[in-house]
Amino acid sequence: QVQLVESGGGLVQTGDSLRLSCAVSGLTLSTYAMGWFRQAPGKERELVAAIDWNGIVTYLADSVKGRFTISRDNAKNTVYLQMNSLKPEDTAVYYCAARFRAAPAYDLWGPGTQVTVSS
């Protein structure tokens, strides 16, 4: 059974840092591209960062460039999102997602973790 489980969310203040983790089981992580998405109340889900199976960062949203970093450790079956200099507009539920190499879309999702940044 494939599972993606996010952790590391919480309530922080503006300027603080958080590191989100996505623990993956039931698949060979090294054959999947991974992404971090977020959805704020009343807004559509958006892609924040993506990394391919070789560890190459393929996408970073303009709104988080210079502040967020995506990385992966295939040996630990874990993907990370390091978030620095957090802003209130980063408040959202953050989801990790997996996409098999040639697949056109992400089709495996975690349940999400809440990140709240107070001003």
Side-chain angles (χ1 to χ4, degrees), residues 26-40:
L27 56 78
T28 303
L29 186 60
S30 60
T31 60
Y32 283 76
M34 300 295 295
W36 282 99
F37 291 74
R38 68 184 180 186
Q39 187 167 21

Side-chain angles (χ1 to χ4, degrees), residues 3-10 18-25 29 34-37 69-73 76-83 94-97 109-115:
Q3 279 193 315
L4 285 69
V5 180
E6 303 93 340
S7 61
L18 281 175
R19 188 176 81 157
L20 304 184
S21 299
C22 175
V24 181
S25 60
L29 186 60
M34 300 295 295
W36 282 99
F37 291 74
T69 303
I70 185 171
S71 62
R72 63 191 295 158
D73 186 336
K76 295 183 178 181
N77 290 329
T78 304
V79 181
Y80 305 98
L81 185 67
Q82 177 67 44
M83 306 187 295
Y94 284 72
Y95 302 88
C96 71
W109 294 83
T113 185
Q114 176 71 48
V115 172

Side-chain angles (χ1 to χ4, degrees), residues 2-70:
V2 176
Q3 279 193 315
L4 285 69
V5 180
E6 303 93 340
S7 61
L11 172 63
V12 297
Q13 295 185 332
T14 297
D16 285 350
S17 297
L18 281 175
R19 188 176 81 157
L20 304 184
S21 299
C22 175
V24 181
S25 60
L27 56 78
T28 303
L29 186 60
S30 60
T31 60
Y32 283 76
M34 300 295 295
W36 282 99
F37 291 74
R38 68 184 180 186
Q39 187 167 21
K43 295 187 177 181
E44 292 187 354
R45 187 176 298 186
E46 63 171 344
L47 178 63
V48 175
I51 187 168
D52 73 9
W53 50 90
N54 289 320
I56 297 173
V57 178
T58 55
Y59 181 82
L60 204 56
D62 288 341
S63 58
V64 306
K65 282 181 180 176
R67 301 189 297 122
F68 290 14
T69 303
I70 185 171

